[in-house]
Amino acid sequence: MPRFRLLIEYDGSAYVGWQRQDNGPSIQGAIEKAILGLTGETVSIRGAGRTDSGVHARGQVANVDLQRGWKGETLRNALNAHLGQNGEQVSILDAAEVSPEFDARFSALRRHYLYRIICRRAPLALEARRAWWVVKPLDHEAMHEAAQMLVGKHDFTTFRSAHCQANSPVRTIDRLDVTRDGEIIEIRATAQSFLHNQIRSFAGTLKLAGEGKWTPEDVRTALEAKDRKACGPVAPPDGLYFMQVDY
Amino acid sequence: MPRFRLLIEYDGSAYVGWQRQDNGPSIQGAIEKAILGLTGETVSIRGAGRTDSGVHARGQVANVDLQRGWKGETLRNALNAHLGQNGEQVSILDAAEVSPEFDARFSALRRHYLYRIICRRAPLALEARRAWWVVKPLDHEAMHEAAQMLVGKHDFTTFRSAHCQANSPVRTIDRLDVTRDGEIIEIRATAQSFLHNQIRSFAGTLKLAGEGKWTPEDVRTALEAKDRKACGPVAPPDGLYFMQVDY
């Protein structure tokens, strides 16, 4: 059976998350339903990252095996037609046949995420559910400095969810940059893989640094504590975007 | 009675438009309801521009007279609290007391609009209802060149809605620039005032130029026809943003 790679964009706010679950509509389920509608096949697709409810994607990747060959463009357009008919907030940006060895999850070399904060007094209207609204002014340079404590290979027990299923809490963060453009603060994170809630845990902790409540040294101490209770409050999912996977 | 100027952001997709109407919720109505909730006063606010259903704003301006003085910040925060409670997609960015001569509509020196097109094969998920999705590739330089035919003082009968209530079809367009950033094409329009549907009529016509169907000369001929039937198809409201008013 030929294997296909799908590149996927979605607005996560209407879904329980990437993964199929009993408690509501998932992005995985939406795409599997579109495939069933198109080909009559009941498939299980595999994503590069299991994003939580409310988390968005501009470049999620998944693989799926289908019974017959498809031209990538035809598959993309037909799946989008089904997704549109079903009223989904999911779009297939690209589809292509790949080697049967390709695995969206395990073949990934690097994953890139963006976390967006909008820092202003007025609530968000146009950006509601698309960014974390923070009222207090944040010093993005202090956030960037604190972020550098988290770059490199560490035991990230402090910064992962109690529900994280990874065997090891050790990860290598290649990049954690904080930049500002007017009222928008962007945190860009790159690693081969992340732990559950790791970037939202980073974002919540870096906000404390931006408010002047935590120094970079406090962030290092929290990291070295290897204790979930040492983490700052976890940031909401609204600001998180799964941007790209490198293979 | 003191007069206040409100600076307003909204997601227009859930509303029948700026103006209060019998057929559904309006942005004007949402703000007037928030004012009633806050002060107990039934007021009629006056906006700088009557945006249509689906049109967004990052900088709509309105004026309102209230019975007592308010600190701008207090008024803004209190109105936002009421708008939030009512589940509105409207945010008051700023509120300030102004001279009783200030009139959001007639004191305006220049209005700035943005029209966003996203040009790609895949439907919009994250940008659904926030841009015009165009599948065919567009040449933004051809669009910009054609746009220059519309700059200056002209009779814009061709480019206004049959329902336009303005006495004169003559307007002076100060700026109509088309730029591209990746798959996003932006049309920026500035004038003291615009006719009803003028920018959406421009956008629909410039798309024809971007597809190579119309030359700049065709745009000039359509303008000179002074005939609504000579206009290209009107672009959807989703891509239009009322950005700023200069006083």
Side-chain angles (χ1 to χ4, degrees):
Chain A
M1 288 168 76
R3 177 161 291 188
F4 296 87
R5 184 189 66 220
L6 306 177
L7 181 68
I8 307 155
E9 175 184 291
Y10 48 83
D11 174 349
S13 52
Y15 297 95
V16 296
W18 166 262
Q19 201 170 12
R20 216 183 319 109
Q21 290 172 56
D22 292 334
N23 60 335
S26 66
I27 297 115
Q28 183 189 3
I31 297 170
E32 289 173 354
K33 186 178 169 191
I35 292 170
L36 177 64
L38 175 65
T39 72
E41 296 166 66
T42 300
V43 297
S44 183
I45 67 173
R46 184 177 178 74
R50 297 180 187 169
T51 57
D52 283 331
S53 180
V55 175
H56 313 295
R58 293 197 179 274
Q60 169 76 280
V61 176
N63 60 271
V64 61
D65 295 334
L66 297 177
Q67 279 167 8
R68 71 169 179 88
W70 288 84
K71 219 180 129 189
E73 204 172 317
T74 309
L75 181 60
R76 177 197 63 199
N77 294 347
L79 288 179
N80 281 329
H82 281 269
L83 289 163
Q85 278 163 26
N86 297 339
E88 305 290 357
Q89 306 299 306
V90 178
S91 178
I92 308 297
L93 301 179
D94 189 58
E97 190 171 340
V98 287
S99 143
E101 281 80 46
F102 176 81
D103 183 298
R105 186 167 168 206
F106 291 116
S107 306
L109 298 178
R110 273 179 308 279
R111 291 167 168 85
H112 304 273
Y113 281 87
L114 165 67
Y115 195 95
R116 295 176 74 227
I117 297 171
I118 298 184
C119 207
R120 69 181 201 186
R121 292 301 307 265
L124 309 182
L126 274 162
E127 300 282 352
R129 294 176 300 282
R130 283 170 168 72
W132 185 13
W133 173 42
V134 170
V135 171
K136 284 187 197 167
L138 296 178
D139 177 344
H140 73 280
E141 289 174 354
M143 294 171 73
H144 180 75
E145 196 188 337
Q148 302 323 302
M149 300 296 127
L150 302 166
V151 173
K153 186 175 179 180
H154 302 286
D155 177 329
F156 285 103
T157 298
T158 302
F159 298 97
R160 70 161 168 171
S161 159
H163 306 290
C164 181
Q165 291 167 15
N167 291 324
S168 164
V170 176
R171 289 292 183 275
T172 302
I173 303 299
D174 299 321
R175 176 192 184 195
L176 193 63
D177 288 339
V178 184
T179 56
R180 167 172 227 130
D181 180 11
E183 65 189 17
I184 303 173
I185 293 176
E186 296 190 338
I187 304 172
R188 291 184 182 270
T190 297
Q192 186 183 10
S193 66
F194 291 93
L195 299 162
H196 188 206
N197 273 1
Q198 188 172 11
I199 300 167
R200 289 167 56 192
S201 297
F202 284 174
T205 297
L206 294 179
K207 173 172 172 270
L208 296 175
E211 290 172 341
K213 290 180 182 164
W214 279 33
T215 63
E217 200 47 48
D218 292 332
V219 174
R220 189 202 298 271
T221 303
L223 175 67
E224 289 174 353
K226 297 173 195 165
D227 179 353
R228 181 64 178 157
K229 293 193 290 297
C231 183
V234 174
D238 314 55
L240 188 56
Y241 294 74
F242 190 11
M243 298 297 283
Q244 187 181 314
V245 188
D246 301 339
Y247 291 100
Chain B
M1 288 169 77
R3 176 161 292 189
F4 296 87
R5 183 189 65 220
L6 306 177
L7 181 68
I8 307 155
E9 175 183 292
Y10 48 83
D11 175 348
S13 51
Y15 297 95
V16 295
W18 166 262
Q19 201 169 14
R20 215 184 318 111
Q21 290 172 54
D22 292 334
N23 61 335
S26 66
I27 297 115
Q28 182 189 6
I31 298 170
E32 289 172 353
K33 187 178 168 190
I35 292 171
L36 177 64
L38 175 65
T39 73
E41 297 166 65
T42 300
V43 297
S44 183
I45 67 172
R46 183 177 177 76
R50 296 180 187 169
T51 57
D52 283 331
S53 180
V55 175
H56 312 296
R58 292 197 180 274
Q60 169 76 280
V61 176
N63 59 271
V64 60
D65 295 335
L66 297 177
Q67 278 165 10
R68 72 168 180 88
W70 288 84
K71 219 179 128 190
E73 205 172 316
T74 309
L75 181 61
R76 177 197 64 199
N77 294 348
L79 288 178
N80 281 330
H82 280 268
L83 288 163
Q85 278 163 24
N86 297 340
E88 306 289 357
Q89 306 298 307
V90 178
S91 177
I92 308 297
L93 301 179
D94 189 58
E97 190 170 340
V98 288
S99 143
E101 281 81 46
F102 176 81
D103 182 298
R105 185 167 169 206
F106 291 116
S107 306
L109 298 178
R110 272 178 309 279
R111 291 166 169 86
H112 304 273
Y113 280 86
L114 165 67
Y115 195 96
R116 295 177 73 227
I117 297 171
I118 297 184
C119 207
R120 69 182 201 187
R121 290 302 305 265
L124 309 183
L126 275 162
E127 299 282 353
R129 293 175 302 283
R130 283 170 168 72
W132 184 15
W133 173 43
V134 171
V135 170
K136 285 187 197 167
L138 297 179
D139 177 345
H140 72 280
E141 289 175 351
M143 294 171 72
H144 181 75
E145 195 189 337
Q148 302 323 302
M149 300 295 127
L150 302 166
V151 173
K153 185 174 179 180
H154 302 287
D155 176 330
F156 285 103
T157 297
T158 301
F159 297 97
R160 71 161 167 171
S161 158
H163 306 291
C164 182
Q165 291 168 18
N167 290 324
S168 165
V170 176
R171 289 293 183 275
T172 301
I173 303 299
D174 299 322
R175 177 192 182 195
L176 192 64
D177 288 339
V178 184
T179 57
R180 166 172 228 130
D181 180 11
E183 65 188 19
I184 302 173
I185 293 175
E186 296 191 336
I187 304 172
R188 292 185 181 270
T190 297
Q192 186 183 10
S193 67
F194 291 92
L195 299 162
H196 188 206
N197 273 0
Q198 188 171 10
I199 299 167
R200 290 168 57 192
S201 298
F202 284 174
T205 297
L206 294 179
K207 173 172 173 273
L208 296 175
E211 291 172 341
K213 290 180 182 165
W214 279 33
T215 64
E217 199 48 48
D218 291 332
V219 174
R220 190 203 300 271
T221 303
L223 175 67
E224 289 173 353
K226 297 172 195 166
D227 179 353
R228 181 64 178 157
K229 293 193 291 294
C231 184
V234 174
D238 314 57
L240 188 56
Y241 294 73
F242 190 10
M243 297 297 283
Q244 187 181 315
V245 189
D246 301 339
Y247 292 100

